[in-house]
PDB file of all heavy atoms in Angstrom:
ATOM      1  N   LYS A   1       0.876  -1.177   0.000  1.00 91.00           N
ATOM      2  CA  LYS A   1       0.000   0.000   0.000  1.00 91.00           C
ATOM      3  C   LYS A   1       0.904   1.215   0.000  1.00 91.00           C
ATOM      4  O   LYS A   1       1.604   1.477   0.980  1.00 91.00           O
ATOM      5  CB  LYS A   1      -0.917  -0.043   1.223  1.00 91.00           C
ATOM      6  CG  LYS A   1      -1.744  -1.325   1.330  1.00 91.00           C
ATOM      7  CD  LYS A   1      -2.489  -1.383   2.653  1.00 91.00           C
ATOM      8  CE  LYS A   1      -3.285  -2.677   2.779  1.00 91.00           C
ATOM      9  NZ  LYS A   1      -2.401  -3.873   2.852  1.00 91.00           N
ATOM     10  N   ILE A   2       0.902   1.959  -1.093  1.00 94.00           N
ATOM     11  CA  ILE A   2       1.927   2.986  -1.300  1.00 94.00           C
ATOM     12  C   ILE A   2       1.303   4.332  -1.618  1.00 94.00           C
ATOM     13  O   ILE A   2       0.446   4.442  -2.502  1.00 94.00           O
ATOM     14  CB  ILE A   2       2.873   2.573  -2.455  1.00 94.00           C
ATOM     15  CG1 ILE A   2       3.532   1.215  -2.143  1.00 94.00           C
ATOM     16  CG2 ILE A   2       3.946   3.635  -2.685  1.00 94.00           C
ATOM     17  CD1 ILE A   2       4.217   0.580  -3.334  1.00 94.00           C
ATOM     18  N   ASP A   3       1.743   5.359  -0.895  1.00 93.00           N
ATOM     19  CA  ASP A   3       1.434   6.749  -1.218  1.00 93.00           C
ATOM     20  C   ASP A   3       2.707   7.364  -1.780  1.00 93.00           C
ATOM     21  O   ASP A   3       3.669   7.608  -1.045  1.00 93.00           O
ATOM     22  CB  ASP A   3       0.971   7.499   0.032  1.00 93.00           C
ATOM     23  CG  ASP A   3       0.552   8.938  -0.271  1.00 93.00           C
ATOM     24  OD1 ASP A   3       0.986   9.471  -1.306  1.00 93.00           O
ATOM     25  OD2 ASP A   3      -0.195   9.526   0.542  1.00 93.00           O
ATOM     26  N   SER A   4       2.727   7.569  -3.087  1.00 93.00           N
ATOM     27  CA  SER A   4       3.935   8.082  -3.741  1.00 93.00           C
ATOM     28  C   SER A   4       3.778   9.536  -4.160  1.00 93.00           C
ATOM     29  O   SER A   4       4.545  10.034  -4.982  1.00 93.00           O
ATOM     30  CB  SER A   4       4.261   7.224  -4.966  1.00 93.00           C
ATOM     31  OG  SER A   4       3.181   7.247  -5.891  1.00 93.00           O
ATOM     32  N   ASN A   5       2.803  10.226  -3.593  1.00 91.00           N
ATOM     33  CA  ASN A   5       2.571  11.628  -3.938  1.00 91.00           C
ATOM     34  C   ASN A   5       3.838  12.444  -3.674  1.00 91.00           C
ATOM     35  O   ASN A   5       4.400  12.420  -2.569  1.00 91.00           O
ATOM     36  CB  ASN A   5       1.403  12.176  -3.101  1.00 91.00           C
ATOM     37  CG  ASN A   5       1.041  13.584  -3.516  1.00 91.00           C
ATOM     38  OD1 ASN A   5       1.064  13.923  -4.696  1.00 91.00           O
ATOM     39  ND2 ASN A   5       0.717  14.415  -2.534  1.00 91.00           N
ATOM     40  N   GLY A   6       4.285  13.164  -4.695  1.00 93.00           N
ATOM     41  CA  GLY A   6       5.504  13.956  -4.560  1.00 93.00           C
ATOM     42  C   GLY A   6       6.747  13.249  -5.047  1.00 93.00           C
ATOM     43  O   GLY A   6       7.831  13.833  -5.052  1.00 93.00           O
ATOM     44  N   SER A   7       6.625  11.983  -5.455  1.00 95.00           N
ATOM     45  CA  SER A   7       7.738  11.253  -6.056  1.00 95.00           C
ATOM     46  C   SER A   7       7.421  10.958  -7.514  1.00 95.00           C
ATOM     47  O   SER A   7       6.256  10.924  -7.914  1.00 95.00           O
ATOM     48  CB  SER A   7       7.997   9.940  -5.312  1.00 95.00           C
ATOM     49  OG  SER A   7       8.482  10.173  -4.013  1.00 95.00           O
ATOM     50  N   SER A   8       8.450  10.746  -8.318  1.00 96.00           N
ATOM     51  CA  SER A   8       8.230  10.497  -9.743  1.00 96.00           C
ATOM     52  C   SER A   8       9.251   9.520 -10.288  1.00 96.00           C
ATOM     53  O   SER A   8      10.401   9.471  -9.826  1.00 96.00           O
ATOM     54  CB  SER A   8       8.286  11.809 -10.542  1.00 96.00           C
ATOM     55  OG  SER A   8       9.552  12.435 -10.398  1.00 96.00           O
ATOM     56  N   ASN A   9       8.811   8.728 -11.256  1.00 96.00           N
ATOM     57  CA  ASN A   9       9.675   7.800 -12.002  1.00 96.00           C
ATOM     58  C   ASN A   9      10.426   6.832 -11.087  1.00 96.00           C
ATOM     59  O   ASN A   9      11.575   6.475 -11.341  1.00 96.00           O
ATOM     60  CB  ASN A   9      10.668   8.578 -12.876  1.00 96.00           C
ATOM     61  CG  ASN A   9       9.965   9.512 -13.835  1.00 96.00           C
ATOM     62  OD1 ASN A   9       8.948   9.173 -14.422  1.00 96.00           O
ATOM     63  ND2 ASN A   9      10.496  10.727 -13.970  1.00 96.00           N
ATOM     64  N   CYS A  10       9.757   6.411 -10.028  1.00 95.00           N
ATOM     65  CA  CYS A  10      10.361   5.476  -9.079  1.00 95.00           C
ATOM     66  C   CYS A  10       9.743   4.085  -9.217  1.00 95.00           C
ATOM     67  O   CYS A  10       8.597   3.943  -9.641  1.00 95.00           O
ATOM     68  CB  CYS A  10      10.154   5.957  -7.641  1.00 95.00           C
ATOM     69  SG  CYS A  10      11.047   7.473  -7.236  1.00 95.00           S
ATOM     70  N   LEU A  11      10.502   3.097  -8.840  1.00 95.00           N
ATOM     71  CA  LEU A  11       9.990   1.741  -8.668  1.00 95.00           C
ATOM     72  C   LEU A  11       9.911   1.490  -7.170  1.00 95.00           C
ATOM     73  O   LEU A  11      10.915   1.652  -6.452  1.00 95.00           O
ATOM     74  CB  LEU A  11      10.907   0.729  -9.335  1.00 95.00           C
ATOM     75  CG  LEU A  11      10.517  -0.758  -9.198  1.00 95.00           C
ATOM     76  CD1 LEU A  11      10.914  -1.536 -10.432  1.00 95.00           C
ATOM     77  CD2 LEU A  11      11.186  -1.395  -7.962  1.00 95.00           C
ATOM     78  N   ILE A  12       8.724   1.112  -6.697  1.00 95.00           N
ATOM     79  CA  ILE A  12       8.522   0.934  -5.264  1.00 95.00           C
ATOM     80  C   ILE A  12       7.862  -0.419  -5.024  1.00 95.00           C
ATOM     81  O   ILE A  12       6.823  -0.735  -5.603  1.00 95.00           O
ATOM     82  CB  ILE A  12       7.656   2.064  -4.673  1.00 95.00           C
ATOM     83  CG1 ILE A  12       8.244   3.437  -5.040  1.00 95.00           C
ATOM     84  CG2 ILE A  12       7.546   1.909  -3.155  1.00 95.00           C
ATOM     85  CD1 ILE A  12       7.370   4.604  -4.663  1.00 95.00           C
ATOM     86  N   ARG A  13       8.485  -1.202  -4.161  1.00 92.00           N
ATOM     87  CA  ARG A  13       7.972  -2.536  -3.829  1.00 92.00           C
ATOM     88  C   ARG A  13       8.156  -2.766  -2.336  1.00 92.00           C
ATOM     89  O   ARG A  13       9.284  -2.773  -1.838  1.00 92.00           O
ATOM     90  CB  ARG A  13       8.723  -3.602  -4.628  1.00 92.00           C
ATOM     91  CG  ARG A  13       8.201  -5.032  -4.481  1.00 92.00           C
ATOM     92  CD  ARG A  13       9.056  -5.959  -5.339  1.00 92.00           C
ATOM     93  NE  ARG A  13       8.482  -7.272  -5.513  1.00 92.00           N
ATOM     94  CZ  ARG A  13       8.734  -8.332  -4.745  1.00 92.00           C
ATOM     95  NH1 ARG A  13       9.558  -8.192  -3.718  1.00 92.00           N
ATOM     96  NH2 ARG A  13       8.185  -9.498  -4.991  1.00 92.00           N
ATOM     97  N   VAL A  14       7.052  -2.919  -1.612  1.00 92.00           N
ATOM     98  CA  VAL A  14       7.109  -3.161  -0.173  1.00 92.00           C
ATOM     99  C   VAL A  14       6.236  -4.373   0.138  1.00 92.00           C
ATOM    100  O   VAL A  14       5.437  -4.806  -0.703  1.00 92.00           O
ATOM    101  CB  VAL A  14       6.633  -1.925   0.624  1.00 92.00           C
ATOM    102  CG1 VAL A  14       7.484  -0.709   0.280  1.00 92.00           C
ATOM    103  CG2 VAL A  14       5.165  -1.633   0.372  1.00 92.00           C
ATOM    104  N   PRO A  15       6.362  -4.962   1.326  1.00 89.00           N
ATOM    105  CA  PRO A  15       5.511  -6.096   1.665  1.00 89.00           C
ATOM    106  C   PRO A  15       4.026  -5.762   1.533  1.00 89.00           C
ATOM    107  O   PRO A  15       3.613  -4.615   1.759  1.00 89.00           O
ATOM    108  CB  PRO A  15       5.895  -6.393   3.122  1.00 89.00           C
ATOM    109  CG  PRO A  15       7.300  -5.905   3.235  1.00 89.00           C
ATOM    110  CD  PRO A  15       7.366  -4.680   2.380  1.00 89.00           C
ATOM    111  N   GLU A  16       3.234  -6.758   1.169  1.00 87.00           N
ATOM    112  CA  GLU A  16       1.818  -6.529   0.902  1.00 87.00           C
ATOM    113  C   GLU A  16       1.087  -5.906   2.080  1.00 87.00           C
ATOM    114  O   GLU A  16       0.164  -5.120   1.905  1.00 87.00           O
ATOM    115  CB  GLU A  16       1.150  -7.851   0.506  1.00 87.00           C
ATOM    116  CG  GLU A  16       1.597  -8.384  -0.848  1.00 87.00           C
ATOM    117  CD  GLU A  16       0.867  -9.648  -1.239  1.00 87.00           C
ATOM    118  OE1 GLU A  16      -0.004 -10.085  -0.452  1.00 87.00           O
ATOM    119  OE2 GLU A  16       1.154 -10.204  -2.309  1.00 87.00           O
ATOM    120  N   HIS A  17       1.489  -6.252   3.294  1.00 89.00           N
ATOM    121  CA  HIS A  17       0.792  -5.765   4.475  1.00 89.00           C
ATOM    122  C   HIS A  17       1.230  -4.372   4.900  1.00 89.00           C
ATOM    123  O   HIS A  17       0.628  -3.770   5.792  1.00 89.00           O
ATOM    124  CB  HIS A  17       1.033  -6.721   5.654  1.00 89.00           C
ATOM    125  CG  HIS A  17       2.466  -6.770   6.095  1.00 89.00           C
ATOM    126  ND1 HIS A  17       3.394  -7.596   5.493  1.00 89.00           N
ATOM    127  CD2 HIS A  17       3.138  -6.081   7.052  1.00 89.00           C
ATOM    128  CE1 HIS A  17       4.570  -7.434   6.073  1.00 89.00           C
ATOM    129  NE2 HIS A  17       4.453  -6.505   7.014  1.00 89.00           N
ATOM    130  N   LYS A  18       2.295  -3.841   4.269  1.00 92.00           N
ATOM    131  CA  LYS A  18       2.898  -2.594   4.741  1.00 92.00           C
ATOM    132  C   LYS A  18       2.373  -1.385   3.975  1.00 92.00           C
ATOM    133  O   LYS A  18       2.136  -1.442   2.774  1.00 92.00           O
ATOM    134  CB  LYS A  18       4.425  -2.671   4.626  1.00 92.00           C
ATOM    135  CG  LYS A  18       5.154  -1.426   5.157  1.00 92.00           C
ATOM    136  CD  LYS A  18       6.652  -1.630   5.200  1.00 92.00           C
ATOM    137  CE  LYS A  18       7.046  -2.532   6.348  1.00 92.00           C
ATOM    138  NZ  LYS A  18       8.514  -2.561   6.570  1.00 92.00           N
ATOM    139  N   PHE A  19       2.212  -0.276   4.691  1.00 93.00           N
ATOM    140  CA  PHE A  19       1.865   1.007   4.064  1.00 93.00           C
ATOM    141  C   PHE A  19       3.137   1.842   4.005  1.00 93.00           C
ATOM    142  O   PHE A  19       3.799   2.065   5.023  1.00 93.00           O
ATOM    143  CB  PHE A  19       0.791   1.736   4.881  1.00 93.00           C
ATOM    144  CG  PHE A  19       0.155   2.871   4.133  1.00 93.00           C
ATOM    145  CD1 PHE A  19      -1.069   2.718   3.497  1.00 93.00           C
ATOM    146  CD2 PHE A  19       0.786   4.105   4.059  1.00 93.00           C
ATOM    147  CE1 PHE A  19      -1.648   3.767   2.790  1.00 93.00           C
ATOM    148  CE2 PHE A  19       0.224   5.155   3.356  1.00 93.00           C
ATOM    149  CZ  PHE A  19      -1.009   4.980   2.728  1.00 93.00           C
ATOM    150  N   ALA A  20       3.478   2.316   2.827  1.00 93.00           N
ATOM    151  CA  ALA A  20       4.691   3.113   2.640  1.00 93.00           C
ATOM    152  C   ALA A  20       4.343   4.482   2.089  1.00 93.00           C
ATOM    153  O   ALA A  20       3.530   4.612   1.170  1.00 93.00           O
ATOM    154  CB  ALA A  20       5.649   2.397   1.689  1.00 93.00           C
ATOM    155  N   ILE A  21       4.950   5.503   2.655  1.00 95.00           N
ATOM    156  CA  ILE A  21       4.803   6.874   2.163  1.00 95.00           C
ATOM    157  C   ILE A  21       6.167   7.281   1.616  1.00 95.00           C
ATOM    158  O   ILE A  21       7.151   7.362   2.361  1.00 95.00           O
ATOM    159  CB  ILE A  21       4.361   7.834   3.279  1.00 95.00           C
ATOM    160  CG1 ILE A  21       3.031   7.362   3.876  1.00 95.00           C
ATOM    161  CG2 ILE A  21       4.226   9.253   2.745  1.00 95.00           C
ATOM    162  CD1 ILE A  21       2.643   8.069   5.139  1.00 95.00           C
ATOM    163  N   VAL A  22       6.248   7.492   0.324  1.00 94.00           N
ATOM    164  CA  VAL A  22       7.516   7.813  -0.332  1.00 94.00           C
ATOM    165  C   VAL A  22       7.361   9.176  -1.002  1.00 94.00           C
ATOM    166  O   VAL A  22       6.646   9.328  -1.991  1.00 94.00           O
ATOM    167  CB  VAL A  22       7.889   6.739  -1.378  1.00 94.00           C
ATOM    168  CG1 VAL A  22       9.233   7.065  -2.013  1.00 94.00           C
ATOM    169  CG2 VAL A  22       7.939   5.353  -0.734  1.00 94.00           C
ATOM    170  N   HIS A  23       8.017  10.164  -0.452  1.00 95.00           N
ATOM    171  CA  HIS A  23       7.840  11.551  -0.911  1.00 95.00           C
ATOM    172  C   HIS A  23       9.182  12.149  -1.305  1.00 95.00           C
ATOM    173  O   HIS A  23      10.189  11.961  -0.626  1.00 95.00           O
ATOM    174  CB  HIS A  23       7.198  12.390   0.198  1.00 95.00           C
ATOM    175  CG  HIS A  23       6.942  13.815  -0.202  1.00 95.00           C
ATOM    176  ND1 HIS A  23       5.822  14.196  -0.913  1.00 95.00           N
ATOM    177  CD2 HIS A  23       7.668  14.939  -0.004  1.00 95.00           C
ATOM    178  CE1 HIS A  23       5.863  15.502  -1.126  1.00 95.00           C
ATOM    179  NE2 HIS A  23       6.978  15.972  -0.588  1.00 95.00           N
ATOM    180  N   GLY A  24       9.186  12.873  -2.420  1.00 95.00           N
ATOM    181  CA  GLY A  24      10.352  13.664  -2.797  1.00 95.00           C
ATOM    182  C   GLY A  24      11.452  12.917  -3.507  1.00 95.00           C
ATOM    183  O   GLY A  24      12.544  13.454  -3.700  1.00 95.00           O
ATOM    184  N   LEU A  25      11.180  11.690  -3.923  1.00 96.00           N
ATOM    185  CA  LEU A  25      12.195  10.936  -4.654  1.00 96.00           C
ATOM    186  C   LEU A  25      11.915  10.981  -6.156  1.00 96.00           C
ATOM    187  O   LEU A  25      10.761  10.947  -6.578  1.00 96.00           O
ATOM    188  CB  LEU A  25      12.229   9.482  -4.196  1.00 96.00           C
ATOM    189  CG  LEU A  25      12.741   9.203  -2.783  1.00 96.00           C
ATOM    190  CD1 LEU A  25      12.789   7.701  -2.539  1.00 96.00           C
ATOM    191  CD2 LEU A  25      14.110   9.826  -2.550  1.00 96.00           C
ATOM    192  N   GLU A  26      12.976  11.001  -6.937  1.00 96.00           N
ATOM    193  CA  GLU A  26      12.855  10.965  -8.396  1.00 96.00           C
ATOM    194  C   GLU A  26      13.884   9.987  -8.949  1.00 96.00           C
ATOM    195  O   GLU A  26      15.064  10.053  -8.611  1.00 96.00           O
ATOM    196  CB  GLU A  26      13.077  12.355  -8.995  1.00 96.00           C
ATOM    197  CG  GLU A  26      12.922  12.381 -10.512  1.00 96.00           C
ATOM    198  CD  GLU A  26      13.056  13.778 -11.099  1.00 96.00           C
ATOM    199  OE1 GLU A  26      13.196  14.733 -10.312  1.00 96.00           O
ATOM    200  OE2 GLU A  26      13.024  13.897 -12.342  1.00 96.00           O
ATOM    201  N   ASP A  27      13.402   9.039  -9.771  1.00 96.00           N
ATOM    202  CA  ASP A  27      14.279   8.053 -10.406  1.00 96.00           C
ATOM    203  C   ASP A  27      15.008   7.192  -9.372  1.00 96.00           C
ATOM    204  O   ASP A  27      16.224   6.997  -9.444  1.00 96.00           O
ATOM    205  CB  ASP A  27      15.287   8.730 -11.330  1.00 96.00           C
ATOM    206  CG  ASP A  27      14.632   9.347 -12.546  1.00 96.00           C
ATOM    207  OD1 ASP A  27      13.764   8.703 -13.142  1.00 96.00           O
ATOM    208  OD2 ASP A  27      14.963  10.507 -12.877  1.00 96.00           O
ATOM    209  N   TYR A  28      14.264   6.656  -8.429  1.00 95.00           N
ATOM    210  CA  TYR A  28      14.840   5.799  -7.402  1.00 95.00           C
ATOM    211  C   TYR A  28      14.184   4.415  -7.402  1.00 95.00           C
ATOM    212  O   TYR A  28      13.045   4.252  -7.836  1.00 95.00           O
ATOM    213  CB  TYR A  28      14.680   6.413  -6.011  1.00 95.00           C
ATOM    214  CG  TYR A  28      15.894   7.194  -5.557  1.00 95.00           C
ATOM    215  CD1 TYR A  28      16.157   8.467  -6.074  1.00 95.00           C
ATOM    216  CD2 TYR A  28      16.795   6.664  -4.643  1.00 95.00           C
ATOM    217  CE1 TYR A  28      17.274   9.185  -5.677  1.00 95.00           C
ATOM    218  CE2 TYR A  28      17.910   7.366  -4.242  1.00 95.00           C
ATOM    219  CZ  TYR A  28      18.156   8.623  -4.750  1.00 95.00           C
ATOM    220  OH  TYR A  28      19.278   9.321  -4.357  1.00 95.00           O
ATOM    221  N   ILE A  29      14.932   3.449  -6.907  1.00 96.00           N
ATOM    222  CA  ILE A  29      14.430   2.112  -6.617  1.00 96.00           C
ATOM    223  C   ILE A  29      14.237   2.021  -5.109  1.00 96.00           C
ATOM    224  O   ILE A  29      15.171   2.291  -4.339  1.00 96.00           O
ATOM    225  CB  ILE A  29      15.438   1.041  -7.080  1.00 96.00           C
ATOM    226  CG1 ILE A  29      15.646   1.105  -8.590  1.00 96.00           C
ATOM    227  CG2 ILE A  29      14.990  -0.353  -6.655  1.00 96.00           C
ATOM    228  CD1 ILE A  29      16.889   0.356  -9.063  1.00 96.00           C
ATOM    229  N   VAL A  30      13.033   1.650  -4.696  1.00 95.00           N
ATOM    230  CA  VAL A  30      12.748   1.473  -3.275  1.00 95.00           C
ATOM    231  C   VAL A  30      12.183   0.058  -3.097  1.00 95.00           C
ATOM    232  O   VAL A  30      11.096  -0.250  -3.588  1.00 95.00           O
ATOM    233  CB  VAL A  30      11.734   2.517  -2.759  1.00 95.00           C
ATOM    234  CG1 VAL A  30      11.450   2.288  -1.274  1.00 95.00           C
ATOM    235  CG2 VAL A  30      12.241   3.935  -3.001  1.00 95.00           C
ATOM    236  N   VAL A  31      12.934  -0.787  -2.418  1.00 94.00           N
ATOM    237  CA  VAL A  31      12.522  -2.171  -2.220  1.00 94.00           C
ATOM    238  C   VAL A  31      12.672  -2.511  -0.743  1.00 94.00           C
ATOM    239  O   VAL A  31      13.776  -2.447  -0.190  1.00 94.00           O
ATOM    240  CB  VAL A  31      13.359  -3.146  -3.075  1.00 94.00           C
ATOM    241  CG1 VAL A  31      12.914  -4.581  -2.822  1.00 94.00           C
ATOM    242  CG2 VAL A  31      13.223  -2.803  -4.553  1.00 94.00           C
ATOM    243  N   ASP A  32      11.579  -2.875  -0.112  1.00 94.00           N
ATOM    244  CA  ASP A  32      11.567  -3.247   1.295  1.00 94.00           C
ATOM    245  C   ASP A  32      11.258  -4.729   1.406  1.00 94.00           C
ATOM    246  O   ASP A  32      10.184  -5.187   1.026  1.00 94.00           O
ATOM    247  CB  ASP A  32      10.490  -2.424   2.025  1.00 94.00           C
ATOM    248  CG  ASP A  32      10.483  -2.695   3.531  1.00 94.00           C
ATOM    249  OD1 ASP A  32      11.184  -3.619   3.973  1.00 94.00           O
ATOM    250  OD2 ASP A  32       9.764  -1.976   4.246  1.00 94.00           O
ATOM    251  N   GLU A  33      12.231  -5.494   1.916  1.00 91.00           N
ATOM    252  CA  GLU A  33      12.054  -6.928   2.101  1.00 91.00           C
ATOM    253  C   GLU A  33      12.058  -7.301   3.575  1.00 91.00           C
ATOM    254  O   GLU A  33      12.508  -8.369   3.958  1.00 91.00           O
ATOM    255  CB  GLU A  33      13.154  -7.687   1.351  1.00 91.00           C
ATOM    256  CG  GLU A  33      13.030  -7.622  -0.144  1.00 91.00           C
ATOM    257  CD  GLU A  33      11.795  -8.340  -0.657  1.00 91.00           C
ATOM    258  OE1 GLU A  33      11.447  -9.403  -0.100  1.00 91.00           O
ATOM    259  OE2 GLU A  33      11.186  -7.838  -1.613  1.00 91.00           O
ATOM    260  N   SER A  34      11.570  -6.404   4.412  1.00 83.00           N
ATOM    261  CA  SER A  34      11.475  -6.605   5.861  1.00 83.00           C
ATOM    262  C   SER A  34      12.835  -6.570   6.547  1.00 83.00           C
ATOM    263  O   SER A  34      13.080  -5.730   7.409  1.00 83.00           O
ATOM    264  CB  SER A  34      10.734  -7.900   6.204  1.00 83.00           C
ATOM    265  OG  SER A  34       9.411  -7.841   5.733  1.00 83.00           O
ATOM    266  N   ASP A  35      13.756  -7.479   6.165  1.00 91.00           N
ATOM    267  CA  ASP A  35      15.068  -7.453   6.808  1.00 91.00           C
ATOM    268  C   ASP A  35      16.050  -6.540   6.090  1.00 91.00           C
ATOM    269  O   ASP A  35      17.121  -6.239   6.622  1.00 91.00           O
ATOM    270  CB  ASP A  35      15.652  -8.864   6.893  1.00 91.00           C
ATOM    271  CG  ASP A  35      15.867  -9.506   5.529  1.00 91.00           C
ATOM    272  OD1 ASP A  35      15.149  -9.129   4.582  1.00 91.00           O
ATOM    273  OD2 ASP A  35      16.748 -10.382   5.408  1.00 91.00           O
ATOM    274  N   VAL A  36      15.701  -6.089   4.880  1.00 92.00           N
ATOM    275  CA  VAL A  36      16.560  -5.194   4.110  1.00 92.00           C
ATOM    276  C   VAL A  36      15.689  -4.130   3.440  1.00 92.00           C
ATOM    277  O   VAL A  36      14.678  -4.457   2.816  1.00 92.00           O
ATOM    278  CB  VAL A  36      17.360  -5.936   3.015  1.00 92.00           C
ATOM    279  CG1 VAL A  36      18.230  -4.961   2.234  1.00 92.00           C
ATOM    280  CG2 VAL A  36      18.212  -7.041   3.612  1.00 92.00           C
ATOM    281  N   LEU A  37      16.096  -2.884   3.570  1.00 93.00           N
ATOM    282  CA  LEU A  37      15.460  -1.787   2.851  1.00 93.00           C
ATOM    283  C   LEU A  37      16.487  -1.200   1.893  1.00 93.00           C
ATOM    284  O   LEU A  37      17.549  -0.734   2.319  1.00 93.00           O
ATOM    285  CB  LEU A  37      14.961  -0.707   3.814  1.00 93.00           C
ATOM    286  CG  LEU A  37      14.447   0.596   3.174  1.00 93.00           C
ATOM    287  CD1 LEU A  37      13.229   0.314   2.294  1.00 93.00           C
ATOM    288  CD2 LEU A  37      14.115   1.638   4.235  1.00 93.00           C
ATOM    289  N   LEU A  38      16.190  -1.237   0.603  1.00 93.00           N
ATOM    290  CA  LEU A  38      17.076  -0.701  -0.426  1.00 93.00           C
ATOM    291  C   LEU A  38      16.461   0.565  -1.001  1.00 93.00           C
ATOM    292  O   LEU A  38      15.330   0.548  -1.484  1.00 93.00           O
ATOM    293  CB  LEU A  38      17.284  -1.728  -1.543  1.00 93.00           C
ATOM    294  CG  LEU A  38      18.102  -1.256  -2.747  1.00 93.00           C
ATOM    295  CD1 LEU A  38      19.586  -1.189  -2.388  1.00 93.00           C
ATOM    296  CD2 LEU A  38      17.899  -2.186  -3.946  1.00 93.00           C
ATOM    297  N   ILE A  39      17.191   1.666  -0.944  1.00 95.00           N
ATOM    298  CA  ILE A  39      16.793   2.927  -1.576  1.00 95.00           C
ATOM    299  C   ILE A  39      17.983   3.338  -2.430  1.00 95.00           C
ATOM    300  O   ILE A  39      19.037   3.721  -1.905  1.00 95.00           O
ATOM    301  CB  ILE A  39      16.452   4.016  -0.534  1.00 95.00           C
ATOM    302  CG1 ILE A  39      15.368   3.516   0.424  1.00 95.00           C
ATOM    303  CG2 ILE A  39      15.996   5.295  -1.228  1.00 95.00           C
ATOM    304  CD1 ILE A  39      15.091   4.466   1.579  1.00 95.00           C
ATOM    305  N   TYR A  40      17.827   3.244  -3.763  1.00 95.00           N
ATOM    306  CA  TYR A  40      18.998   3.351  -4.635  1.00 95.00           C
ATOM    307  C   TYR A  40      18.633   4.060  -5.925  1.00 95.00           C
ATOM    308  O   TYR A  40      17.556   3.825  -6.481  1.00 95.00           O
ATOM    309  CB  TYR A  40      19.528   1.942  -4.953  1.00 95.00           C
ATOM    310  CG  TYR A  40      21.024   1.850  -5.000  1.00 95.00           C
ATOM    311  CD1 TYR A  40      21.762   1.753  -3.827  1.00 95.00           C
ATOM    312  CD2 TYR A  40      21.704   1.881  -6.208  1.00 95.00           C
ATOM    313  CE1 TYR A  40      23.146   1.665  -3.863  1.00 95.00           C
ATOM    314  CE2 TYR A  40      23.080   1.794  -6.250  1.00 95.00           C
ATOM    315  CZ  TYR A  40      23.803   1.694  -5.076  1.00 95.00           C
ATOM    316  OH  TYR A  40      25.175   1.618  -5.110  1.00 95.00           O
TER     317      TYR A  40
END
């Protein structure tokens, strides 16, 4: 469940049960696998 308002051209993947708010990123990869969070 993702609120990406304010971000653009990003790939965002988080666990199905998680709510993520991703603001102010452009051209980023955001992957949350519970034990590892990658923002690249």
